[in-house]
Amino acid sequence: MAQTVSEFVIGRLREWGVRRVFGYPGDGIGEFDGMLGKAEGAGEGLEYIRPTHEEICAFMATAHAKFTGEVGVCIATSSPGGFHLMNGLYDAKMDNQPVVAIVGQQGLNSFGTFNQQESNLEQAFSDVAEYVQTIVSPEQAQAVVDTAFRTAITRKQPCVVILPHDVQGLKMAEPGAEMWVSRSSAVAPSTEIAPPAAQLHAAAEVINAGERVTFLVGAGADGATEEVLQAARLAGAGIVTTLRGKQVVPGDVPFHTQQVGLLGSRASYDQMQGCDTLVLLGTNYPYGQFLPKTGQARAVQIDLRPEQLGLRYPTEVSIWADVKTALAGLLPLLTQKTDLSWQEKVAGDMRDWDAELAAQADNHFDDAVNPRKVYAELDKRLPAGAIVTCDAGTTADWYGQYIRLRDGMRGDLSGRLASMLAAMPYAEAAKFAYPDRTVVCTIGDGAFQMLGMNELITLKKYLSRFDDPTFVVLVLHNDDLSQVSWEMRTEDANPVWPTSQQVESVDYAGWARLLGFQGITVTSDDEVEAAWDTAFAHRGVTVIDAHTGKNVPPLPPHITYEFAKNTGLALLKGDPDGIGAIKDSATSLITEGVEKVKDALHIDRD
């Protein structure tokens, strides 16, 4: 039976291993959608997940790639639908994820004629996509689809295939052996790139010579957990992970000090200040102020993206390879350190930091729940194999500081793009990928109001598909875009501007109950533990509406004078939350920070 171009593309997706797509319909992609429906009826289709917005489709495709290692696929109609994909595709681009977007277009004869919903999609997607191409004939379809997938896999970037409406319904033609026609294959290329032996020996020399070795491990090391731990044990190294790299190294490894930087631990900060050797594994960590000073440490970097080698810190050895393959070759060359005093110091520093975090979580604030306590109690109760997502606001601060992803757990977020609202589609994609696991989405009220609330409707639609329907959404309800509020103070010395920062209060637990889910309202610290116990005992969706304090500062582990001075100046300029911010900060600040804030505010030390 003759195939159309749409039928061929659907079959080709299956050949590339795609079994699930995230799409939103429209007339520009209508013929393709019709063939998706036909294939579904014949039992030869793809699982088609339709959330409430195309932006969610792209975020879900990116998250699918992150959580599974497969190519994520999203589908949208012409101009408006395609444009809505942009933010999620930029998330894939900036976090190096293989995603293929299939976007509808008006008919070929409409190109350049200012027709309804006709726009230059190739130009529009040219920045976000590593490869973007319009299929203009049946003979071209095979090569375009295959090139998009090969490029997405090898470059770890999003690619876009544009399907004009009339081409979607054309009879498919087998590419022939002729000029201008490519005959391609749906065979995934290997990305296990091994480095030359000379580079491995050079890297081993640097690491073996180090007395205070620190590994900075990013998401690019995903899948290399055992190799990373073996190398660290041989080198007597401490391990720091980036926020996206948390899941690579189990949180209960004693010499794993979690993150570094504004969202990190003091133990990680001290590691970076004290190490003499830095090994960067699969990371493009951008905050250079938290890395060792130039000349302090010898450095080795391993990364699959060659343009990122030697970019953040001067390296002696830069290895273009995937981390797992490179470490497998490096391990036999590493000598076992007999002096483990550095690694033991790192572990001791982390125990001290955890004790301080526990004390911070026990602080009480007037008329508001301590968000630190909410995350501390969540961490204690995470079941085996749980998946946790967080958003780009203060949820990322508390996730970074309190969540310890033990072996088998996963967690992720919008990394370099740091887009708001991603936590919800990330959590949904994780649930579709692992329907038997507990998923926890942690999100701020501002991000939840963007599109997150709508996605409870998507969950209601698909809940019966999950083997274990336990899905928990934690909303930090403080009626404020609190991360930006603190950034206004600490970065620019400006008081909070309520017109831009206030978030309209909504009964999020009530919204959950309206949809038939479990809704729990938490208004005091005493209710936090019971809320989590109730949520995890419920086989279904639970929304925890936690009324947390907006003035609890997301403090960095090392408070600079500039940070303290700007905060003080902002409060002196008439910050509307000034009294609350001063009071809550005084409760939370570590001793060093208190002294510097006093200096900035000219407060008498006595």
Side-chain angles (χ1 to χ4, degrees):
M1 183 177 178
Q3 277 189 319
T4 65
V5 170
S6 291
E7 289 173 308
F8 167 78
V9 172
I10 293 166
R12 205 64 164 182
L13 294 181
R14 289 178 60 87
E15 286 186 63
W16 277 102
V18 177
R19 292 295 179 267
R20 179 181 301 115
V21 297
F22 306 96
Y24 204 94
D27 67 324
I29 195 70
E31 174 65 20
F32 184 79
D33 283 346
M35 293 304 98
L36 281 172
K38 178 182 175 183
E40 180 185 63
E44 300 173 351
L46 304 165
E47 183 183 17
Y48 183 88
I49 306 301
R50 200 217 75 191
T52 62
H53 197 280
E54 292 95 347
E55 184 172 354
I56 300 294
C57 293
F59 273 123
M60 291 176 84
T62 300
H64 178 86
K66 287 182 175 182
F67 285 123
T68 67
E70 302 169 354
V71 178
V73 176
C74 53
I75 302 170
T77 189
S78 52
S79 299
F83 298 151
H84 281 160
L85 295 175
M86 285 287 191
N87 198 39
L89 293 181
Y90 270 106
D91 190 40
K93 176 185 178 70
M94 297 177 76
D95 279 352
N96 303 316
Q97 296 303 312
V99 170
V100 172
I102 298 174
V103 181
Q105 173 64 294
Q106 300 306 296
L108 291 172
N109 290 337
S110 74
F111 285 17
T113 65
F114 314 105
N115 218 309
Q116 175 80 4
Q117 290 193 349
E118 182 274 325
S119 56
N120 191 335
L121 292 179
E122 287 194 8
Q123 186 177 59
F125 285 108
S126 63
D127 181 63
V128 71
E130 187 77 11
Y131 173 81
V132 53
Q133 186 61 54
T134 302
I135 296 177
V136 298
S137 72
E139 290 84 358
Q140 183 203 18
Q142 182 186 94
V144 170
V145 172
D146 291 345
T147 302
F149 273 86
R150 278 196 304 271
T151 304
I153 292 168
T154 55
R155 305 288 180 85
K156 294 191 176 297
Q157 291 286 280
C159 297
V160 177
V161 174
I162 300 169
L163 265 178
H165 191 273
D166 47 359
V167 175
Q168 294 169 29
L170 292 178
K171 181 180 177 181
M172 185 59 191
E174 183 71 24
E178 55 192 275
M179 182 65 108
W180 301 335
V181 176
S182 293
R183 291 166 289 166
S184 60
S185 58
V187 178
S190 171
T191 57
E192 295 181 1
I193 299 176
Q199 279 198 308
L200 292 176
H201 281 277
E205 185 278 322
V206 172
I207 296 171
N208 289 334
E211 296 180 357
R212 300 182 304 280
V213 182
T214 288
F215 286 9
L216 178 57
V217 180
D222 204 9
T225 298
E226 289 306 314
E227 290 80 3
V228 170
L229 290 176
Q230 287 181 45
R233 292 186 176 107
L234 287 169
I239 297 177
V240 177
T241 51
T242 65
L243 202 57
R244 288 205 56 236
K246 282 177 78 76
Q247 66 183 14
V248 178
V249 180
D252 52 6
V253 171
F255 47 88
H256 173 200
T257 59
Q258 298 292 313
Q259 286 67 70
V260 67
L262 293 174
L263 314 184
S265 70
R266 191 183 306 124
S268 291
Y269 178 84
D270 290 344
Q271 268 205 78
M272 288 298 175
Q273 295 302 301
C275 70
D276 64 11
T277 306
L278 180 64
V279 181
L280 300 105
L281 301 173
T283 178
N284 183 34
Y285 181 77
Y287 303 104
Q289 69 269 36
F290 294 103
L291 296 178
K293 296 178 179 63
T294 301
Q296 170 192 321
R298 303 177 73 185
V300 173
Q301 186 174 3
I302 303 173
D303 207 290
L304 199 54
R305 296 298 302 272
E307 67 274 20
Q308 296 177 1
L309 291 168
L311 178 65
R312 301 302 182 193
Y313 190 81
T315 53
E316 286 188 42
V317 184
S318 295
I319 297 178
W320 179 18
D322 72 285
V323 173
K324 186 179 181 70
T325 301
L327 286 181
L330 183 62
L331 282 169
L333 306 177
L334 297 179
T335 56
Q336 176 65 64
K337 288 282 195 307
T338 56
D339 180 1
L340 298 180
S341 57
W342 168 252
Q343 195 176 70
E344 291 165 356
K345 176 187 181 301
V346 165
D349 289 346
M350 191 58 186
R351 288 192 296 272
D352 292 342
W353 177 251
D354 279 339
E356 182 169 321
L357 287 180
Q360 294 272 15
D362 285 338
N363 285 333
H364 293 282
F365 303 96
D366 294 341
D367 303 321
V369 176
N370 183 350
R372 293 175 176 271
K373 182 175 180 62
V374 176
Y375 278 78
E377 296 302 330
L378 165 60
D379 183 65
K380 294 175 185 177
R381 291 165 172 77
L382 284 175
I387 302 172
V388 185
T389 67
C390 73
D391 217 79
T394 53
T395 60
D397 295 283
W398 315 133
Y399 169 84
Q401 292 188 18
Y402 285 93
I403 299 302
R404 304 288 188 261
L405 298 173
R406 273 80 74 187
D407 191 27
M409 296 181 183
R410 299 185 68 86
D412 221 322
L413 74 161
S414 173
R416 192 156 66 93
L417 182 63
S419 175
M420 290 177 66
L421 85 80
M424 193 65 180
Y426 269 44
E428 292 172 284
K431 193 65 175 176
F432 282 111
Y434 303 99
D436 58 340
R437 295 198 191 187
T438 295
V439 173
V440 181
C441 168
T442 70
I443 191 167
D445 49 3
F448 197 54
Q449 287 189 14
M450 280 185 163
L451 287 173
M453 293 178 68
N454 287 357
E455 284 311 292
L456 288 181
I457 300 171
T458 303
L459 282 175
K460 182 178 177 64
K461 178 180 179 181
Y462 292 105
L463 192 61
S464 63
R465 296 195 183 191
F466 305 135
D467 299 332
D468 178 355
T470 306
F471 190 106
V472 185
V473 181
L474 166 67
V475 181
L476 297 191
H477 184 167
N478 56 25
D479 302 331
D480 187 78
L481 300 175
S482 52
Q483 183 79 359
V484 179
S485 293
W486 278 103
E487 288 169 345
M488 291 177 73
R489 295 175 181 128
T490 62
E491 294 181 9
D492 302 308
N494 285 322
V496 168
W497 184 31
T499 301
S500 72
Q501 296 306 107
Q502 285 182 350
V503 175
E504 183 67 21
S505 187
V506 172
D507 181 2
Y508 303 108
W511 169 237
R513 289 191 289 269
L514 183 65
L515 291 171
F517 299 146
Q518 178 172 247
I520 303 173
T521 302
V522 177
T523 57
S524 73
D525 291 341
D526 294 339
E527 299 169 341
V528 170
E529 296 182 36
W532 283 121
D533 290 339
T534 302
F536 286 131
H538 178 62
R539 287 184 59 83
V541 177
T542 300
V543 173
I544 298 179
D545 184 356
H547 290 244
T548 52
K550 63 180 176 179
N551 293 318
V552 180
L555 295 171
H558 177 78
I559 298 174
T560 64
Y561 178 77
E562 192 72 15
F563 182 102
K565 182 187 75 171
N566 286 345
T567 303
L569 290 173
L571 298 179
L572 288 174
K573 289 177 183 177
D575 191 300
D577 298 317
I579 294 176
I582 292 173
K583 185 175 181 181
D584 290 352
S585 296
T587 302
S588 301
L589 281 166
I590 56 176
T591 302
E592 176 187 25
V594 171
E595 296 305 306
K596 289 182 177 177
V597 168
K598 285 180 178 179
D599 284 340
L601 295 175
H602 306 290
I603 296 174
D604 191 329
R605 292 176 182 275
D606 297 327

